[in-house]
Amino acid sequence: MAIEGKFVTLDARLYDYVVAHGHNADPVLAALADETAAKLGRVAGMQIAPEQGTLMTMLARAIGARHAIEVGTFTGYSAICVARALPADGNLLCCDVSEEWTAIARRYWRTAGVDDRITLKIAPALATLRALPLEPCFDFAFIDADKSNYRNYFEEIFSRTRPGGLILIDNVLWSGEVLNPANQTGDTRAIRDLNDFLAHDDRVEVVMIAVSDGLTICRKKP
Ligand SMILES: C[S@@+](CC[C@H](N)C(=O)[O-])C[C@H]1O[C@@H](n2cnc3c(N)ncnc32)[C@H](O)[C@@H]1O
């Protein structure tokens, strides 16, 4: 049951207020968002929201992340947010299947001055993950690709995350469709199943926050 006073329903005006006051504006990210929208139209909706990007930078910086991984890079917005938080000798492994979209990302990574700490792997992410050594090498991970593989991505990354490391999962509210019983698409079910699973997974501390399309933050227990 909803508890009165514990949440605010955002309308467009209130959301604009959140964005205007709740994140650090950034010209490189703004230019990337503009170019992505101009070139790709509706597809640009896949990009993470600006305040989510700021949150991700802050989290990665707060835990002193050095090695990070991202599944689902698109035109590179979230990658910039994470890479910026890493030290000069840190590394972000970006996984995507699109040469076209990540060509835009590469350009903006150079502009943002983070291209030296990003490795981009163009291949199905599950194959990339399974080829990595089974060692706790990651401090920070972001999952934002094909939803049907979310649980697989989570498990492969969990096995390679150090205790105390963070795994972030995007789109966990799926525009509210997680609550629509008539929606039984593979993507919706995959998100619902992972949400149900993580709520009871003793291996992690978990918090789901209603930023943008919903973001779950998991901390691997020491
Ligand atoms: C929602 S977008 C990522 C948005 C990105 N995080 C950002 O901030 O702009 C999802 C991306 O996942 C990629 N993708 C889809 N299926 C994939 C797969 N099997 N392996 C790797 N990447 C995949 C798509 O090419 C797309 O770029």
Side-chain angles (χ1 to χ4, degrees):
M1 202 177 80
I3 304 169
E4 209 174 314
K6 290 290 184 195
F7 66 97
V8 174
T9 305
L10 291 184
D11 59 14
R13 282 179 58 237
L14 198 50
Y15 177 69
D16 284 347
Y17 183 88
V18 169
V19 174
H21 296 80
H23 86 107
N24 302 113
D26 181 283
V28 178
L29 291 174
L32 170 55
D34 288 348
E35 180 172 339
T36 304
K39 287 204 168 131
L40 302 177
R42 283 178 60 85
V43 182
M46 293 206 295
Q47 199 164 61
I48 63 160
E51 71 281 13
Q52 180 178 340
T54 305
L55 173 67
M56 289 170 54
T57 305
M58 209 179 276
L59 287 172
R61 209 167 259 149
I63 64 161
R66 192 176 210 88
H67 298 292
I69 182 161
E70 168 176 273
V71 177
T73 292
F74 190 44
T75 58
Y77 193 108
S78 50
I80 292 176
C81 297
V82 176
R84 274 185 173 159
L86 307 178
D89 64 345
N91 186 263
L92 168 65
L93 174 59
C94 285
C95 307
D96 207 289
V97 285
S98 172
E99 291 279 7
E100 181 198 341
W101 291 338
T102 55
I104 298 174
R106 285 184 198 275
R107 210 157 23 83
Y108 278 88
W109 293 343
R110 279 195 295 278
T111 309
V114 293
D115 54 321
D116 60 336
R117 68 198 73 163
I118 297 181
T119 307
L120 173 63
K121 179 81 179 161
I122 299 292
L126 207 49
T128 301
L129 287 168
R130 288 179 174 159
L132 294 171
L134 253 181
E135 290 161 7
C137 46
F138 296 120
D139 306 297
F140 186 95
F142 181 50
I143 301 175
D144 187 20
D146 49 319
K147 312 308 169 197
S148 56
N149 267 315
Y150 259 29
R151 176 70 190 277
N152 291 328
Y153 294 146
F154 179 80
E155 292 300 338
E156 296 298 336
I157 288 173
F158 181 86
S159 308
R160 294 167 175 84
T161 298
R162 66 147 165 99
L166 299 182
I167 304 173
L168 276 58
I169 303 151
D170 202 24
N171 306 109
V172 294
L173 296 179
W174 207 223
S175 304
E177 287 301 298
V178 284
L179 276 185
N180 177 6
N183 188 332
Q184 294 296 333
T185 66
D187 286 352
T188 308
R189 291 170 65 144
I191 290 172
R192 240 182 240 137
D193 289 350
L194 183 60
N195 290 344
D196 290 344
F197 173 78
L198 289 176
H200 301 99
D201 185 353
D202 288 340
R203 301 172 300 171
V204 289
E205 294 163 355
V206 66
V207 59
M208 180 187 283
I209 56 174
V211 63
S212 191
D213 193 26
L215 180 72
T216 291
I217 303 169
C218 300
R219 177 175 180 269
K220 183 169 179 170
K221 287 183 184 171

